Amino acid sequence: LLLTSCCRHGRAATDWLCRFGAVMSAIVNADASDGDDVQITDAGDGDVQITPTLTLRRPIYCMAPMVGQSDRPFRLLCRRHGTTLCYSEMLMADEFAASAAYRHEALGDRVRDHPLIVQFAANEPDAFARAAVAAHAMGAAGADLNIGCPQRRAREGFYGSWMQEDWDLCCAIIATARAACPPGFAITAKLRVQYCERGTRPSTERTVEFARRLVAAGADLIALHARVRGSPELRRAGAADLAVVRALVDAGLGVPILSNGNVRSREDVALNLKATGADGVMVAEELLRDPSLFAPEKISAPALIGAYLDLLRECESDVPREDGSVSGKDGAVTRATTEGVERYSVWWANIEVLRCHIKRMLERGGSSSKEILQRNTFRKAATLADVDRYLRGRLRLAEPTAE
């Protein structure tokens, strides 16, 4: 089955088999850990089965991969308020596979919140397969191939949406990883609406056919951001075309479909699901503004900020330091990145990540919120502990429980 799958999907997948065994063994031995188990249930009428061992309630409420904002404390905050599936932000597959330091910078010693799908940028089957094996060894629920990123760095590196026209390559990447990982580990793809063959207009037909080929190659789930690639400067121009998601659902591909786009309020979540018939909805921007988006009742911004600050302190005890200790310096929940390691994701939150989250959660808070953000105490704070003290005072938040 392994050889048959790889032979069907190109030379790159076949060549990779010659090198895979030794590499997989090295990665697993280096990073394997028990971690926490994902709950395994039999799929019922109200469930969505992603793999034989990963089943979630329908609809799936999913946190999208977000640059610089996918730290574990924020994922935990969203999970507390209804989010049922989280993605990491995009990681570089080749670095993740090759560098223990990079893996540690991205996910810590192991994945501790479940289920988590780790998203990778990759344009080689070998790199994505090795990264998927490493993510599985660290306790992730799946590995996602990013075929949707329109940013300039993706264009320069030929990954994300900039390789979406090379269907054979994308399918070979999926097939190779599917052959390398156990059936319970999800191999997924996040993509955008395809262009017509001339590249001049969106094509629903080509989007459905591309997704169909990805599923045939071994994808267990498809997430569709219902916009075309556009340009690095105009990647969110206009509304998402949810009719394309509906077409994907109606095509009956046999795997769960997540709809991404046009959620700007709590009401939009239900409207999106009704319009598309998708198995779940994936949200980025609105979850940053309201981490309780998927909860039955809206939670106030100050209450969410207080919970996030508490989670920062709780997660600090899980962060191993270079000297082997786990305590922060001067109460600051932070740690310097490993020198020379490019960082695209965060296991713990540094001060800039914290500032960004607070700004987004207070974005709709009116003049009083703007005044909080403009104070130098917030803008120029040197440590997370400084920001923590300032926000608890200004927002009248309870002090954290002493350890």
mmCIF file of all heavy atoms in Angstrom, residues 25-43:
data_model
loop_
_atom_site.group_PDB
_atom_site.id
_atom_site.type_symbol
_atom_site.label_atom_id
_atom_site.label_comp_id
_atom_site.label_asym_id
_atom_site.label_seq_id
_atom_site.Cartn_x
_atom_site.Cartn_y
_atom_site.Cartn_z
ATOM 1 N N SER A 25 13.068 7.373 12.164
ATOM 2 C CA SER A 25 13.535 6.796 13.418
ATOM 3 C C SER A 25 14.266 7.823 14.257
ATOM 4 O O SER A 25 14.073 7.929 15.467
ATOM 5 C CB SER A 25 14.446 5.603 13.132
ATOM 6 O OG SER A 25 14.966 5.082 14.333
ATOM 7 N N ALA A 26 15.090 8.633 13.614
ATOM 8 C CA ALA A 26 15.864 9.638 14.348
ATOM 9 C C ALA A 26 14.960 10.679 14.980
ATOM 10 O O ALA A 26 15.137 11.074 16.131
ATOM 11 C CB ALA A 26 16.868 10.318 13.407
ATOM 12 N N ILE A 27 13.948 11.130 14.228
ATOM 13 C CA ILE A 27 13.051 12.156 14.753
ATOM 14 C C ILE A 27 12.220 11.615 15.903
ATOM 15 O O ILE A 27 12.082 12.241 16.949
ATOM 16 C CB ILE A 27 12.127 12.683 13.635
ATOM 17 C CG1 ILE A 27 12.951 13.471 12.611
ATOM 18 C CG2 ILE A 27 11.032 13.568 14.202
ATOM 19 C CD1 ILE A 27 12.160 13.922 11.411
ATOM 20 N N VAL A 28 11.651 10.441 15.736
ATOM 21 C CA VAL A 28 10.809 9.872 16.772
ATOM 22 C C VAL A 28 11.600 9.642 18.044
ATOM 23 O O VAL A 28 11.160 9.955 19.147
ATOM 24 C CB VAL A 28 10.161 8.554 16.288
ATOM 25 C CG1 VAL A 28 9.479 7.844 17.435
ATOM 26 C CG2 VAL A 28 9.164 8.837 15.169
ATOM 27 N N ASN A 29 12.799 9.125 17.916
ATOM 28 C CA ASN A 29 13.612 8.876 19.099
ATOM 29 C C ASN A 29 13.976 10.164 19.805
ATOM 30 O O ASN A 29 14.112 10.210 21.022
ATOM 31 C CB ASN A 29 14.890 8.111 18.708
ATOM 32 C CG ASN A 29 14.581 6.679 18.298
ATOM 33 O OD1 ASN A 29 13.567 6.124 18.681
ATOM 34 N ND2 ASN A 29 15.459 6.097 17.499
ATOM 35 N N ALA A 30 14.122 11.243 19.043
ATOM 36 C CA ALA A 30 14.540 12.508 19.642
ATOM 37 C C ALA A 30 13.403 13.204 20.368
ATOM 38 O O ALA A 30 13.603 13.818 21.403
ATOM 39 C CB ALA A 30 15.086 13.442 18.553
ATOM 40 N N ASP A 31 12.161 13.101 19.829
ATOM 41 C CA ASP A 31 11.096 13.958 20.334
ATOM 42 C C ASP A 31 9.859 13.228 20.850
ATOM 43 O O ASP A 31 8.904 13.857 21.273
ATOM 44 C CB ASP A 31 10.643 14.922 19.221
ATOM 45 C CG ASP A 31 11.486 16.177 19.225
ATOM 46 O OD1 ASP A 31 12.174 16.437 20.223
ATOM 47 O OD2 ASP A 31 11.444 16.878 18.233
ATOM 48 N N ALA A 32 9.846 11.921 20.824
ATOM 49 C CA ALA A 32 8.640 11.208 21.241
ATOM 50 C C ALA A 32 8.354 11.459 22.716
ATOM 51 O O ALA A 32 9.240 11.502 23.545
ATOM 52 C CB ALA A 32 8.812 9.707 21.003
ATOM 53 N N SER A 33 7.088 11.671 23.050
ATOM 54 C CA SER A 33 6.683 11.828 24.433
ATOM 55 C C SER A 33 5.264 11.306 24.578
ATOM 56 O O SER A 33 4.521 11.233 23.608
ATOM 57 C CB SER A 33 6.749 13.297 24.862
ATOM 58 O OG SER A 33 5.846 14.073 24.119
ATOM 59 N N ASP A 34 4.902 10.933 25.802
ATOM 60 C CA ASP A 34 3.574 10.378 26.019
ATOM 61 C C ASP A 34 2.496 11.416 25.759
ATOM 62 O O ASP A 34 1.499 11.153 25.102
ATOM 63 C CB ASP A 34 3.449 9.847 27.455
ATOM 64 C CG ASP A 34 4.353 8.645 27.673
ATOM 65 O OD1 ASP A 34 4.674 7.980 26.671
ATOM 66 O OD2 ASP A 34 4.736 8.397 28.822
ATOM 67 N N GLY A 35 2.685 12.636 26.301
ATOM 68 C CA GLY A 35 1.703 13.702 26.099
ATOM 69 C C GLY A 35 0.360 13.330 26.691
ATOM 70 O O GLY A 35 0.201 12.398 27.454
ATOM 71 N N ASP A 36 -0.666 14.110 26.317
ATOM 72 C CA ASP A 36 -2.032 13.855 26.753
ATOM 73 C C ASP A 36 -2.790 13.189 25.610
ATOM 74 O O ASP A 36 -2.606 13.525 24.456
ATOM 75 C CB ASP A 36 -2.728 15.164 27.134
ATOM 76 C CG ASP A 36 -2.015 15.858 28.280
ATOM 77 O OD1 ASP A 36 -1.627 15.161 29.230
ATOM 78 O OD2 ASP A 36 -1.846 17.076 28.203
ATOM 79 N N ASP A 37 -3.657 12.256 25.935
ATOM 80 C CA ASP A 37 -4.379 11.517 24.914
ATOM 81 C C ASP A 37 -5.572 12.315 24.404
ATOM 82 O O ASP A 37 -6.302 12.938 25.156
ATOM 83 C CB ASP A 37 -4.886 10.179 25.462
ATOM 84 C CG ASP A 37 -3.730 9.236 25.799
ATOM 85 O OD1 ASP A 37 -2.702 9.360 25.124
ATOM 86 O OD2 ASP A 37 -3.876 8.414 26.716
ATOM 87 N N VAL A 38 -5.784 12.261 23.090
ATOM 88 C CA VAL A 38 -6.983 12.813 22.497
ATOM 89 C C VAL A 38 -8.119 11.825 22.751
ATOM 90 O O VAL A 38 -7.941 10.622 22.650
ATOM 91 C CB VAL A 38 -6.785 13.013 20.976
ATOM 92 C CG1 VAL A 38 -8.066 13.505 20.341
ATOM 93 C CG2 VAL A 38 -5.654 13.993 20.722
ATOM 94 N N GLN A 39 -9.285 12.344 23.106
ATOM 95 C CA GLN A 39 -10.425 11.470 23.357
ATOM 96 C C GLN A 39 -10.853 10.787 22.064
ATOM 97 O O GLN A 39 -11.027 11.431 21.029
ATOM 98 C CB GLN A 39 -11.594 12.275 23.930
ATOM 99 C CG GLN A 39 -11.342 12.796 25.331
ATOM 100 C CD GLN A 39 -11.165 11.676 26.329
ATOM 101 O OE1 GLN A 39 -11.920 10.709 26.319
ATOM 102 N NE2 GLN A 39 -10.163 11.783 27.172
ATOM 103 N N ILE A 40 -11.011 9.472 22.112
ATOM 104 C CA ILE A 40 -11.406 8.690 20.958
ATOM 105 C C ILE A 40 -12.838 8.220 21.153
ATOM 106 O O ILE A 40 -13.179 7.604 22.156
ATOM 107 C CB ILE A 40 -10.477 7.480 20.772
ATOM 108 C CG1 ILE A 40 -9.027 7.967 20.551
ATOM 109 C CG2 ILE A 40 -10.927 6.616 19.610
ATOM 110 C CD1 ILE A 40 -8.022 6.856 20.537
ATOM 111 N N THR A 41 -13.694 8.521 20.193
ATOM 112 C CA THR A 41 -15.094 8.107 20.295
ATOM 113 C C THR A 41 -15.552 7.559 18.957
ATOM 114 O O THR A 41 -14.961 7.844 17.914
ATOM 115 C CB THR A 41 -16.000 9.283 20.685
ATOM 116 O OG1 THR A 41 -15.906 10.292 19.664
ATOM 117 C CG2 THR A 41 -15.599 9.893 22.007
ATOM 118 N N ASP A 42 -16.621 6.778 18.987
ATOM 119 C CA ASP A 42 -17.239 6.339 17.750
ATOM 120 C C ASP A 42 -18.089 7.475 17.203
ATOM 121 O O ASP A 42 -18.793 8.167 17.936
ATOM 122 C CB ASP A 42 -18.134 5.117 17.997
ATOM 123 C CG ASP A 42 -17.316 3.899 18.407
ATOM 124 O OD1 ASP A 42 -16.165 3.800 17.943
ATOM 125 O OD2 ASP A 42 -17.822 3.074 19.184
ATOM 126 N N ALA A 43 -18.014 7.680 15.900
ATOM 127 C CA ALA A 43 -18.761 8.770 15.288
ATOM 128 C C ALA A 43 -20.250 8.488 15.307
ATOM 129 O O ALA A 43 -20.688 7.410 14.915
ATOM 130 C CB ALA A 43 -18.283 8.990 13.849
#
